[in-house]
Amino acid sequence: MKKFDKERVLLAVAGPVIALVAAILLTSVVLVASGKNPFEPYRLMLEQAGYSDVQVLILNQGAMYYIAALAVAVGFRMNLFNIGVDGQYRLAAMMTAVVGANIALPSFLQIPLLLLVGVLTGAFWAGIAGVLKVTRGVSEVVATIMLNAIATSLIGYLTLSDVWGVQLGNNMTTGEMKKSGWVPGINLGADVGEIYGLVFLAIALGIAYWVVLNRTRFGFDLRATGESETAAAASGVDAKKMVLTAMLISGGVAGLSGLPLLLGDAHTYSLTFPTGLGFTGITIALLGRNNPVGIAFAALLIAFLDKASPALDYATPVAYEKEIATIMQGLIVFAVVISYEAVRQWGLRRQQKRVGAELAAAAVQNTKKEVAA
């Protein structure tokens, strides 16, 4: 491996490692300040990772986080901050559940239909922000934040009993989906649980993300526009078209985020459907540096913190608050931003020194040639 390649790998790995170590140290400081053992919570959570049922929960949750993070990463590569993934995924899950409860087709048609509904709904909702940005210059951050709030209200309206809602106990749902739309998973037994079938969709999306961005002209145009719209325009790329396309793709991927749970387990959308998935995806995309492999490790890490932390409530003789994991996730975000900037500055200084050394060496060679002449 060339020296340049080694430095690139070092820079790519250093940021996440520094961020994780810093988050652990800062969380330990919080524990010490509250009079708790700063090491015991980590031991308890790591112990949970050895149980098969917890591993299944981590894998299932990680798949959902991974898809959400890919949606965020598509925007990041275009220098767009799609903070509306949460609203896009919830609205897409709700519409998919409605279609699945009211349309019955054979499985080989029903499942693709439901996936398509999720993609189109998410793309449509993100596309609103994209259109506002390219036509009126509205910041995608502001637009998607507002669309998150609108999505919440719209879901509340559409799940009313006189629209598409079905009352089940104290919970309002969209009704149970037709069984032809259920995606079978890998059943590991009653004591372990079932791996969602759409975990494999998450893997396929990660591969497609890498191929499109790194091996296609479209991916090159997208990355070039994200780096500099003026430079991309000079090479013939329509920057506005790329912005809109990136928002549509980001929203479409976001629309798939909730489907592993919806089609693999819940089979209905209700007011208890998980929220915050999109915001967690931002953390994961940052930690994974928009790289599909890095995002996969980050998704599993955050899922591990989510699924292992409940054990802290039942620890003996001293119980720990499970919110410790939430504190760690929040600290990871701060640590990621700070560590990446520190690593970037370090990389720039190394590059400047290397270029300076090469120029000095070239000058010495030229001087020797002139003296010899």
Side-chain angles (χ1 to χ4, degrees):
M1 183 180 289
K2 297 179 180 178
K3 181 179 179 182
F4 177 69
D5 292 332
K6 289 181 179 179
E7 289 185 358
R8 287 186 62 183
V9 172
L10 180 62
L11 290 173
V13 173
V17 171
I18 293 173
L20 185 57
V21 171
I24 292 173
L25 291 175
L26 291 172
T27 305
S28 298
V29 170
V30 173
L31 288 168
V32 171
S34 61
K36 300 291 183 67
N37 186 319
F39 306 108
E40 185 67 10
Y42 306 123
R43 186 192 68 79
L44 291 171
M45 288 193 290
L46 287 172
E47 188 178 80
Q48 291 298 305
Y51 296 114
S52 299
D53 57 337
V54 176
Q55 292 170 1
V56 170
L57 292 174
I58 291 172
L59 186 59
N60 288 338
Q61 189 69 33
M64 297 173 62
Y65 283 161
Y66 186 69
I67 298 174
L70 287 179
V72 175
V74 169
F76 279 164
R77 296 305 294 267
M78 184 63 197
N79 203 23
L80 295 171
F81 196 3
N82 181 10
I83 205 170
V85 168
D86 201 66
Q88 293 152 20
Y89 114 83
R90 287 187 291 115
L91 188 62
M94 190 276 296
M95 291 302 300
T96 302
V98 168
V99 172
N102 293 279
I103 294 179
L105 298 173
S107 293
F108 71 93
L109 294 176
Q110 183 85 342
I111 293 174
L113 172 65
L114 297 179
L115 294 176
L116 183 62
V117 169
V119 170
L120 293 179
T121 304
F124 169 75
W125 207 243
I128 297 173
V131 170
L132 289 173
K133 184 173 181 66
V134 300
T135 59
R136 293 291 182 267
V138 178
S139 168
E140 75 279 2
V141 174
V142 175
T144 50
I145 288 175
M146 294 299 100
L147 285 168
N148 278 342
I150 295 171
T152 300
S153 299
L154 183 59
I155 290 169
Y157 169 73
L158 294 176
T159 51
L160 291 174
S161 57
D162 56 350
V163 186
W164 287 323
V166 177
Q167 187 80 33
L168 288 179
N170 294 325
N171 196 12
M172 188 63 72
T173 74
T174 54
E176 187 174 70
M177 300 171 63
K178 308 298 183 185
K179 289 189 176 181
S180 60
W182 297 13
V183 176
I186 302 175
N187 194 337
L188 300 179
D191 295 333
V192 178
E194 183 177 286
I195 298 175
Y196 296 155
L198 290 186
V199 166
F200 300 101
L201 173 64
I203 297 172
L205 287 173
I207 296 172
Y209 170 86
W210 184 87
V211 170
V212 170
L213 283 181
N214 297 285
R215 292 292 184 268
T216 67
R217 173 59 188 269
F218 170 78
F220 174 80
D221 290 346
L222 188 144
R223 288 183 285 111
T225 308
E227 291 291 334
S228 172
E229 289 190 12
T230 54
S235 64
V237 178
D238 187 339
K240 289 186 176 181
K241 180 181 177 181
M242 292 305 298
V243 167
L244 181 57
T245 302
M247 285 300 295
L248 290 172
I249 294 174
S250 179
V253 175
L256 294 171
S257 302
L259 299 196
L261 172 62
L262 180 67
L263 304 186
D265 183 25
H267 307 308
T268 186
Y269 185 91
S270 69
L271 299 181
T272 59
F273 206 78
T275 59
L277 190 69
F279 299 109
T280 304
I282 295 172
T283 301
I284 294 169
L286 286 171
L287 186 58
R289 299 201 70 175
N290 302 322
N291 179 284
V293 177
I295 290 173
F297 283 112
L300 291 173
L301 170 64
I302 300 300
F304 159 73
L305 292 175
D306 280 349
K307 299 305 179 183
S309 60
L312 298 178
D313 280 340
Y314 308 103
T316 56
V318 179
Y320 295 84
E321 293 75 12
K322 65 180 180 181
E323 284 74 19
I324 289 171
T326 305
I327 293 173
M328 183 179 288
Q329 291 179 18
L331 291 174
I332 284 174
V333 177
F334 287 107
V336 161
V337 175
I338 296 170
S339 65
Y340 282 176
E341 180 60 23
V343 170
R344 188 182 71 85
Q345 292 293 337
W346 177 69
L348 285 175
R349 286 195 295 269
R350 285 185 61 86
Q351 186 177 23
Q352 289 168 354
K353 289 180 180 179
R354 185 171 63 251
V355 172
E358 290 175 354
L359 290 175
V364 170
Q365 290 294 329
N366 289 333
T367 301
K368 289 181 178 179
K369 290 180 180 179
E370 290 176 358
V371 171

